[in-house]
Amino acid sequence: MDRSVKNALYKCSTKGLIQLLNDPKYANNPARQYQDMINYIARHEMYGGKTKGELFEMIHVARNELLAQYGEKRKDNKEKLPYDNFGNVSPRDAQRIKNFLRDPSTAAMNEFAALGNVNLAANGEDEEEKEYLRRLQINAQMLSKQVEVMADTQNTHFKGSEARTDILTRLEKKMPEEDENALDSLKKANGNFFTRLFRRPSQEYKAFEQSFKQFRQTESVLSGNVEDLEKKTTAYLKHLMPNFKYAKDMKKEEMLSALPKGQRARASFAMDVLDSIRENKEAKPYVDNVENAINGRPIKEIEKAPAQADPAKQQEFQNEIAANIEEPKVEEVKNEVKAEPEKVEEKQAEANNEIAN
């Protein structure tokens, strides 16, 4: 086994899990995606491995990311896909996925237990791979017991935190690959040690940074408070750009180019936060219907807003039409000069003269 491959197998992080779930190879293979997800989380705190992230955080991130993906497919697909159908999967795998979406902790506990009871090492091609699979199997058994003991306590932190988890996951996808998490990206946006030491951040930035940190902490009073985060983020961007108004297709690069380099990185991060909030709100009705379907609750009909015409494209279309239309030729109208009708009185006078003469 190549050393880089071996090192990758022993790593486990929330960001790595998000990247795994978004690998294009799973686009038409949800069953394989689900099993690889379980195997990945089963590495958590494995002997000889390197773990970054909390176990229950990973479990709930995985659950929300799957929900978001199933919701997005129904949002973007023109055909009406059944909300409780996950694609080309067997009834057994479909039930496993449903169980995980309904109750991720209990499902993870059962999945880890099943993984621990399978002789994975028999599938290894060489000794290093067999050793890895043996460790994974033992670790899965330990995690199953850990989840069973801690589930009731830990689940309280994540109850009602779907928006928080989904927005942070969407934000993670926008961050540089080398950053450990979004908070690490924000720290880098603040500059190096000396920049942070001598910079005097504005009150608006302080409020935004504090709101973001509290938003992502499960034990914070403002944990998952979307309204507060959106308000403070917008206020900070208005501080930098007084005319700032968030829009889905706003010209970010053009707006950022007008800012000094230091402010540019922080403003870009703030815009990514607002983008993640918008994406969450747009997908929520579809995600809710996936949850409703797998739990046997009624589906809520979703009315799609009519597509708005792009002003720039509309103007371009009008200009193109105007350029192709030929102006009508105006033919010169010749005015015929008609003799002015003689007055009745003049004619009568001429007749009298002729008689008199």
Side-chain angles (χ1 to χ4, degrees):
M1 183 188 296
D2 183 80
R3 180 173 292 181
S4 61
V5 174
K6 180 182 176 180
N7 290 338
L9 286 174
Y10 280 86
K11 288 181 180 178
C12 183
S13 68
T14 304
K15 183 149 191 173
L17 174 61
I18 294 170
Q19 291 171 341
L20 172 79
L21 289 170
N22 286 276
D23 193 315
K25 70 183 180 183
Y26 298 124
N28 298 312
N29 197 345
R32 183 72 261 172
Q33 179 195 39
Y34 179 76
Q35 186 59 58
D36 287 354
M37 176 196 79
I38 293 297
N39 292 354
Y40 186 92
I41 302 174
R43 303 177 191 174
H44 190 272
E45 298 292 354
M46 187 167 72
Y47 173 72
K50 186 177 182 182
T51 296
K52 291 182 179 180
E54 297 296 326
L55 174 61
F56 283 86
E57 175 82 9
M58 286 188 185
I59 291 172
H60 283 269
V61 162
R63 183 253 186 188
N64 278 27
E65 180 58 19
L66 288 181
L67 272 175
Q69 289 182 8
Y70 297 143
E72 291 283 354
K73 284 181 181 178
R74 283 142 187 84
K75 179 174 76 71
D76 298 332
N77 199 300
K78 293 180 181 179
E79 300 177 5
K80 286 191 174 182
L81 299 174
Y83 282 99
D84 59 348
N85 186 302
F86 305 116
N88 186 25
V89 295
S90 67
R92 176 180 175 275
D93 285 330
Q95 191 59 53
R96 291 171 68 200
I97 295 172
K98 286 181 182 180
N99 290 342
F100 185 78
L101 296 179
R102 288 170 183 156
D103 185 354
S105 294
T106 301
M109 178 185 69
N110 294 332
E111 292 286 0
F112 293 150
L115 190 63
N117 290 327
V118 177
N119 186 12
L120 297 175
N123 299 322
E125 295 182 358
D126 55 40
E127 287 304 315
E128 285 189 334
E129 186 175 4
K130 287 181 179 180
E131 177 60 22
Y132 162 75
L133 292 172
R134 275 193 291 266
R135 291 186 186 185
L136 182 65
Q137 184 176 10
I138 294 170
N139 204 64
Q141 291 172 332
M142 294 170 62
L143 288 180
S144 178
K145 292 180 173 27
Q146 183 180 341
V147 173
E148 184 178 13
V149 171
M150 300 178 64
D152 291 339
T153 305
Q154 289 294 321
N155 283 341
T156 56
H157 289 301
F158 297 96
K159 189 176 181 180
S161 68
E162 289 81 2
R164 165 191 168 276
T165 307
D166 182 61
I167 289 170
L168 289 175
T169 300
R170 292 178 185 277
L171 186 60
E172 295 284 359
K173 296 176 192 177
K174 298 175 175 57
M175 297 298 104
E177 189 174 344
E178 64 273 11
D179 291 354
E180 182 180 332
N181 52 47
L183 193 60
D184 187 33
S185 299
L186 181 59
K187 184 178 178 181
K188 289 183 179 180
N190 277 319
N192 57 32
F193 172 77
F194 292 102
T195 303
R196 295 194 300 271
L197 183 63
F198 294 106
R199 184 172 73 88
R200 292 182 179 180
S202 64
Q203 292 300 317
E204 290 80 4
Y205 176 78
K206 288 180 180 177
F208 158 63
E209 185 180 46
Q210 184 180 24
S211 177
F212 177 72
K213 288 180 177 179
Q214 291 180 331
F215 178 86
R216 67 189 300 276
Q217 292 174 354
T218 55
E219 66 276 9
S220 169
V221 176
L222 291 174
S223 176
N225 191 320
V226 180
E227 184 180 352
D228 182 76
L229 179 61
E230 188 173 19
K231 179 181 176 182
K232 301 289 175 58
T233 307
T234 304
Y236 170 59
L237 288 168
K238 278 186 173 292
H239 168 71
L240 296 180
M241 299 168 282
N243 295 325
F244 174 80
K245 185 177 181 181
Y246 180 79
K248 182 176 181 178
D249 299 317
M250 60 185 181
K251 298 179 180 179
K252 291 174 64 175
E253 295 304 319
E254 186 178 315
M255 297 165 73
L256 292 170
S257 64
L259 297 173
K261 185 177 179 181
Q263 290 182 347
R264 198 180 306 157
R266 292 185 288 277
S268 178
F269 182 90
M271 288 180 180
D272 285 338
V273 170
L274 292 182
D275 280 340
S276 301
I277 292 173
R278 173 187 54 77
E279 291 166 7
N280 168 263
K281 290 180 178 179
E282 288 181 351
K284 189 177 187 305
Y286 299 91
V287 172
D288 287 347
N289 271 348
V290 173
E291 284 196 276
N292 288 336
I294 63 175
N295 285 290
R297 296 191 294 262
I299 301 297
K300 298 178 182 178
E301 288 297 325
I302 302 170
E303 293 184 8
K304 291 189 177 182
Q308 297 292 327
D310 186 340
K313 289 184 178 180
Q314 193 172 20
Q315 186 61 48
E316 184 181 346
F317 177 69
Q318 290 176 349
N319 293 341
E320 188 177 336
I321 292 177
N324 293 330
I325 293 178
E326 295 183 3
E327 293 187 6
K329 294 181 180 180
V330 180
E331 295 184 3
E332 185 179 353
V333 179
K334 296 181 180 181
N335 294 325
E336 296 181 5
V337 179
K338 294 183 179 180
E340 187 176 347
E342 296 177 353
K343 294 181 180 179
V344 177
E345 292 83 355
E346 291 179 353
K347 286 186 176 182
Q348 186 63 44
E350 289 178 2
N352 292 337
N353 289 337
E354 288 180 4
I355 294 171
N357 293 332

